[in-house]
Amino acid sequence: MTRKAARVYHSLPMNKGSALLVLPLALLTAVIFAACSSSAGRSKISMWEARYNDRALGRVTPDQLLREVGIKTDLIPPGKVGRYKYRPMTPRYITIHSTQNYSGDAYNHALALKRGALRATKRPGGNRIGFLTWHFTVQSNVAIQHLPCREQGEHADFDGPGNNYSIGIEMCEHRGNDIALTIDKTARLAAYLMYTYGIPLDHVVPHYHWPRISPYIKDPHKDCPHFLLDRGRPGPTWQWFLRRVNLHYSRLIPGPARTLG
């Protein structure tokens, strides 16, 4: 509705009957919108699940699950750019992100991190080191590690628990990448990290979970990873993802697991 049309609409006299009519129409619109959102979420999940063959899944050792993830180590050099100083961490959470970069794959992100190309303004109440950093970038055919899991990244909430205590995983969205397989590989990686570092399932969280408290940011809760959220918030799609993580976690046969730094 244009502003002019809105002014004309609100200038019209409203009797009691027409006032009663507006409220049901508003409610009906809200119900239809919610139903459409729910249907879209179910349709999206169904498309992803069609890419999986869960009947073929069996029990695995931690090493076997890690091989399914397909980790490639390509760390930011210690003492350089986003690792110019050592910042130790005891991981307690796993934070899931999406890149929202439709041209860059996991290898592009690894190169950018190593070159220090992903800069951010260093300031109190904001980025602490002048660079963006995280631990893993996942796409359908590989998961690249950028930081040791016992070092802090700069990917969530500045000087908050998301950066201080969580392992950051970015999911790629570049053209040609299979989002369904990327999500499943991320779920396998999260399951492995849960097992290796003793992290419970309810500590696997979206970026949205960590509010970014800063005078420079209007909305503290980021819509990220946007394709796993519903209307910008954790909902049924996020719960589906957690079930996916738990599926792979439940496949694990207890045994030694290699730490990833």
Side-chain angles (χ1 to χ4, degrees):
M1 182 184 292
T2 66
R3 291 184 180 179
K4 181 178 180 181
R7 287 196 298 270
V8 172
Y9 173 82
H10 288 296
S11 67
L12 292 174
M14 181 179 288
N15 59 33
K16 184 177 180 181
S18 61
L20 291 174
L21 181 62
V22 170
L23 181 59
L25 284 174
L27 287 172
L28 180 60
T29 301
V31 169
I32 291 172
F33 184 80
C36 289
S37 298
S38 176
S39 175
R42 285 195 300 270
S43 174
K44 180 169 61 175
I45 289 170
S46 296
M47 287 191 297
W48 293 336
E49 289 181 336
R51 302 286 293 124
Y52 306 148
N53 183 16
D54 290 347
R55 291 183 180 181
L57 295 176
R59 302 296 301 280
V60 290
T61 66
D63 281 348
Q64 288 170 332
L65 182 59
L66 190 58
R67 283 197 292 271
E68 290 179 4
V69 173
I71 291 285
K72 177 180 173 59
T73 304
D74 193 9
L75 300 180
I76 302 166
K80 304 290 185 181
V81 292
R83 290 180 73 195
Y84 69 83
K85 66 177 180 177
Y86 176 62
R87 302 187 301 160
M89 175 179 79
T90 299
R92 302 177 189 172
Y93 295 86
I94 299 164
T95 301
I96 308 298
H97 303 261
S98 60
T99 63
Q100 291 190 272
N101 180 349
Y102 303 106
S103 60
D105 65 10
Y107 297 96
N108 297 138
H109 285 89
L111 185 60
L113 288 167
K114 288 190 298 180
R115 289 179 172 174
L118 303 181
R119 292 182 174 272
T121 303
K122 182 180 177 181
R123 58 192 172 200
N127 188 287
R128 300 169 296 175
I129 61 173
F131 299 93
L132 299 177
T133 61
W134 58 90
H135 298 81
F136 300 92
T137 302
V138 180
Q139 63 188 42
S140 57
N141 62 349
V142 73
I144 300 181
Q145 183 175 7
H146 316 292
L147 287 175
C149 289
R150 289 196 177 97
E151 286 189 31
Q152 292 178 30
E154 201 74 17
H155 57 90
D157 57 353
F158 311 132
D159 196 22
N163 279 340
N164 290 322
Y165 301 111
S166 85
I167 299 169
I169 304 175
E170 289 275 0
M171 292 182 289
C172 282
E173 301 183 65
H174 58 280
R175 295 173 186 86
N177 183 47
D178 189 317
I179 291 293
L181 298 185
T182 299
I183 292 169
D184 188 55
K185 190 174 287 291
T186 301
R188 293 175 198 239
L189 175 57
Y192 182 84
L193 296 172
M194 284 171 54
Y195 181 85
T196 305
Y197 296 98
I199 298 172
L201 183 64
D202 63 0
H203 282 203
V204 179
V205 298
H207 187 182
Y208 175 95
H209 180 82
W210 305 114
R212 300 165 299 158
I213 307 303
S214 168
Y216 306 101
I217 293 178
K218 182 178 179 181
D219 185 356
H221 291 282
K222 189 173 182 180
D223 181 9
C224 178
H226 65 99
F227 52 80
L228 289 182
L229 302 183
D230 297 287
R231 297 172 64 186
R233 297 184 178 188
T237 308
W238 179 254
Q239 292 303 314
W240 169 85
F241 173 72
L242 290 182
R243 290 193 296 273
R244 195 84 205 154
V245 175
N246 196 51
L247 167 68
H248 292 301
Y249 184 83
S250 67
R251 298 171 57 213
L252 281 164
I253 300 167
R258 175 166 65 92
T259 62
L260 299 174

